[in-house]
Amino acid sequence: MAIYDPNSLKAEEFINDEEILETLKYAEANKNNVELIDQILEKARPKKGEKGYVCSGLTHREASVLLACEIPEEVEEMYKIAEEIKMAYYGNRIVIFAPLYLSNYCINGCVYCPYHLKNKHIARKKLTQDEVRAEVIALQDMGHKRLAIEAGEDPKNNPIEYILECIKTIYSVHHKNGDIRRVNVNIAATTVENYRKLKEAGIGTYILFQETYHKKSYETLHPTGPKHDYAYHTEAMDRAMEGGIDDVGLGVLFGLEMYKYEFAGLLMHAEHLEAVHGVGPHTISVPRVKHADDIDPDAFDNGIDDDTFAKITACIRLAVPYTGMIISTRENQEVRGKLLRLGISQISGGSRTSVGGYAEEERPHDTEQFDVSDQRTLDEVVNWLMENDHVPSFCTACYREGRTGDRFMALCKTGQILNCCHPNALMTLAEYLEDYASPETKKRGYEMIARELERIPREKTREIAKQHIEDIRNSNRRDFRF
Ligand code: SAM
């Protein structure tokens, strides 16, 4: 039997079934232990240090106790602390991105995904480079600067060379004042050599959802194809790091397995990356399984309701305070609004999950990966964020300035975010307002910028940011960054 070891490079040792089951038992036994819960909450609370706020985070066992606890006052306290952590590290900024589907050819058999090989009635499509350009122009015309590219796994139709060529094309398109400055990549688990190639192509984060940490369920849910191999999939982030990618994004597809099991597994994965590579995940995504062609989410009996979903989000925020958290348009406006307060730092907007969807006038459904719940335009999302006092940020500065991996974490931990990320957010928001926003959004945006500039602590930085924003308003100069 595999023994739990966060330092091991073997999937079944760092995501250890026995340790997860012990954790769940411990959490269940302590879910009403108010004294312990209060101690854990106290540990999670941000403390004011010399250089800003310091957070210790929580172990998977501690966080699992919180997740199991159903005492209303304690749950309220979790939400309060989650919001405090969010404000301490990320402030009121929300980074915006869009997914770009390159190809839905896939040789896997994932039972929850419409791209599965046996689905014969979904239209299969792979973008040509001209079509990639058309998609990128459409995305730039909306105002996007940051993409997450998505593709099914198919070595013949979507080999790594195809993905690399698409990345090159994406970075090469400069339409009007637009450009895509960060391409994150969500493709199937691959080799160290391929990860190295992705790194060399200048990608931002490598994202791979675990789907489920439960090995048996994983094998049932992925009955055929290369994705069936649990260890190869689970160890992918270690290979990505070996290939030089130090920003990796984790995620679980909630609804497939028992959420408490997934939660413990997810945190153990984060602890493993920290233990072995000295840096935890850059982001954690929290997708929930959705209706899609040939897929009925009700077929999965581990679906979670909105309140549980909110609690999971808050508990992740408490456990890994320095990790960005992403929510997609799988969720509707109401759920997104609630979760933004509990720790989410990135959202997608104006998304289309079909291959070639952005260049189409009407939202196409025939190649879609899942139904999009939040169908608002990017301008509507930006305006809504500001109405709710979140600063929409199109910033991509960190990785372009070499602040990846532990260097990004250092920025968080030394409280420099307000002197760095905040002006970057405001300058990129000004670009959006000047080049793409509706008059109403533009008006609200500049009012917000005027208010938010005053929150930049260092006077010199504030003055430079003000000057750059003036330049953006009065010229075609773009892409200022700290
Ligand atoms: N093919 C790559 C892989 O297997 O990792 C990544 C791309 S896949 C297009 C992106 C993610 O969409 C998957 O990892 C899965 O979690 C999610 N997904 C698949 N089917 C879904 C559904 N019905 N509802 C919500 N999300 C889904």
Side-chain angles (χ1 to χ4, degrees):
M1 185 186 287
I3 308 277
Y4 176 50
D5 178 6
N7 285 294
S8 164
L9 292 173
K10 284 199 186 128
E12 283 176 68
E13 290 176 357
F14 64 83
I15 305 294
N16 182 254
D17 181 59
E18 208 182 337
E19 170 60 21
I20 298 183
L21 296 179
E22 280 298 315
T23 298
L24 300 189
K25 235 194 260 165
Y26 173 78
E28 192 57 27
N30 284 290
K31 69 178 186 185
N32 292 316
N33 182 345
V34 174
E35 199 181 323
L36 176 68
I37 290 164
D38 286 342
Q39 266 173 31
I40 298 173
L41 287 174
E42 201 41 48
K43 181 179 172 194
R45 211 182 289 282
K47 322 266 179 328
K48 199 141 180 51
E50 263 174 42
K51 291 183 173 170
Y53 285 96
V54 184
C55 260
S56 53
L58 299 175
T59 64
H60 61 274
R61 283 211 177 198
E62 292 165 337
S64 292
V65 172
L66 296 188
L67 189 64
C69 165
E70 284 168 3
I71 304 165
E73 302 80 57
E74 301 286 10
V75 175
E76 265 318 301
E77 196 56 23
M78 289 173 213
Y79 288 173
K80 232 178 92 198
I81 298 173
E83 197 168 344
E84 279 172 31
I85 294 174
K86 158 101 199 318
M87 291 308 284
Y89 290 120
Y90 288 91
N92 54 349
R93 289 174 308 285
I94 300 289
V95 168
I96 296 190
F97 75 99
L100 171 58
Y101 284 76
L102 300 178
S103 167
N104 64 2
Y105 283 95
C106 194
I107 58 168
N108 285 313
C110 316
V111 303
Y112 49 83
C113 180
Y115 292 177
H116 67 83
L117 183 65
K118 286 198 180 133
N119 186 353
K120 296 295 177 208
H121 45 84
I122 192 169
R124 298 288 169 175
K125 197 170 170 185
K126 166 189 170 181
L127 298 180
T128 63
Q129 295 312 303
D130 278 346
E131 287 170 329
V132 171
R133 262 185 286 278
E135 289 288 277
V136 171
I137 287 173
L139 283 155
Q140 289 185 3
D141 276 345
M142 288 161 75
H144 280 293
K145 299 282 186 274
R146 176 190 288 249
L147 301 183
I149 57 172
E150 312 272 341
E153 179 166 15
D154 185 331
K156 272 210 187 101
N157 285 298
N158 325 323
I160 192 73
E161 291 71 27
Y162 170 71
I163 305 291
L164 296 169
E165 197 185 355
C166 291
I167 295 170
K168 210 168 160 192
T169 301
I170 294 168
Y171 280 135
S172 74
V173 177
H174 302 284
H175 177 65
K176 298 185 181 162
N177 279 340
D179 60 326
I180 298 301
R181 300 171 184 162
R182 179 174 177 130
V183 177
N184 296 333
V185 174
N186 184 4
I187 60 163
T190 185
T191 59
V192 174
E193 194 190 329
N194 286 348
Y195 285 125
R196 197 162 285 128
K197 289 179 183 166
L198 287 170
K199 172 73 184 172
E200 281 160 11
I203 70 158
T205 312
Y206 171 66
I207 301 165
L208 181 68
F209 299 160
Q210 178 64 29
E211 322 299 6
T212 175
Y213 283 97
H214 191 282
K215 185 171 185 245
K216 272 223 170 77
S217 300
Y218 181 94
E219 288 170 349
T220 313
L221 291 160
H222 307 96
T224 54
K227 197 165 170 176
H228 177 73
D229 187 337
Y230 176 83
Y232 190 72
H233 188 80
T234 312
E235 293 160 9
M237 294 314 191
D238 297 292
R239 292 195 300 280
M241 292 222 171
E242 200 185 326
I245 299 175
D246 50 7
D247 282 349
V248 298
L250 304 181
V252 155
L253 187 53
F254 283 103
L256 299 179
E257 240 305 330
M258 270 172 45
Y259 71 89
K260 290 178 183 169
Y261 191 100
E262 303 295 18
F263 177 81
L266 182 66
L267 294 184
M268 283 163 77
H269 201 170
E271 287 164 11
H272 160 72
L273 295 177
E274 180 92 46
V276 174
H277 307 281
V279 51
H282 188 67
T283 55
I284 289 181
S285 300
V286 287
R288 277 196 289 190
V289 70
K290 291 273 309 174
H291 174 268
D293 177 69
D294 210 34
I295 307 296
D296 174 7
D298 296 337
F300 302 100
D301 51 10
N302 295 302
I304 44 171
D305 60 46
D306 292 350
D307 286 340
T308 308
F309 192 43
K311 196 165 154 203
I312 293 171
T313 306
C315 288
I316 296 176
R317 182 66 306 146
L318 265 56
V320 282
Y322 304 113
T323 300
M325 282 181 74
I326 303 179
I327 193 151
S328 75
T329 54
R330 289 176 182 85
E331 301 300 333
N332 63 30
Q333 174 177 343
E334 192 189 334
V335 171
R336 298 204 324 155
K338 183 168 178 188
L339 265 53
L340 283 175
R341 305 230 167 264
L342 300 179
I344 296 293
S345 54
Q346 277 192 41
I347 64 169
S348 46
S351 305
R352 293 195 172 178
T353 63
S354 43
V355 182
Y358 293 107
E360 304 274 338
E361 195 74 28
E362 290 282 314
R363 178 184 293 276
H365 295 292
D366 61 336
T367 61
E368 248 180 355
Q369 199 202 5
F370 53 81
D371 292 355
V372 170
S373 296
D374 188 342
Q375 300 212 355
R376 291 173 296 171
T377 63
L378 180 59
D379 190 71
E380 286 167 334
V381 172
V382 167
N383 199 335
W384 167 76
L385 285 173
M386 296 191 297
E387 198 182 342
N388 290 287
D389 208 30
H390 302 290
V391 177
S393 171
F394 293 85
C395 178
T396 55
C398 269
Y399 99 103
R400 296 161 79 218
E401 294 291 325
R403 290 189 298 259
T404 59
D406 53 357
R407 278 151 298 180
F408 170 75
M409 297 295 167
L411 188 79
C412 274
K413 292 177 187 172
T414 54
Q416 277 313 301
I417 275 201
L418 266 182
N419 273 318
C420 190
C421 303
H422 208 58
N424 285 339
L426 299 178
M427 293 187 299
T428 54
L429 175 59
E431 290 186 345
Y432 176 81
L433 300 177
E434 254 343 283
D435 294 335
Y436 309 104
S438 65
E440 191 196 328
T441 304
K442 190 167 176 177
K443 181 170 177 292
R444 176 170 274 148
Y446 278 120
E447 285 164 9
M448 170 167 255
I449 288 177
R451 278 196 314 277
E452 294 290 333
L453 274 168
E454 299 312 316
R455 297 187 51 221
I456 300 172
R458 201 186 295 134
E459 194 185 336
K460 187 147 184 252
T461 309
R462 199 182 325 129
E463 288 312 313
I464 295 172
K466 277 184 188 169
Q467 185 53 53
H468 288 336
I469 288 170
E470 277 310 299
D471 289 342
I472 291 165
R473 294 186 86 158
N474 300 317
S475 75
N476 275 336
R477 291 184 63 199
R478 298 289 179 269
D479 202 14
F480 298 102
R481 59 181 185 266
F482 288 97

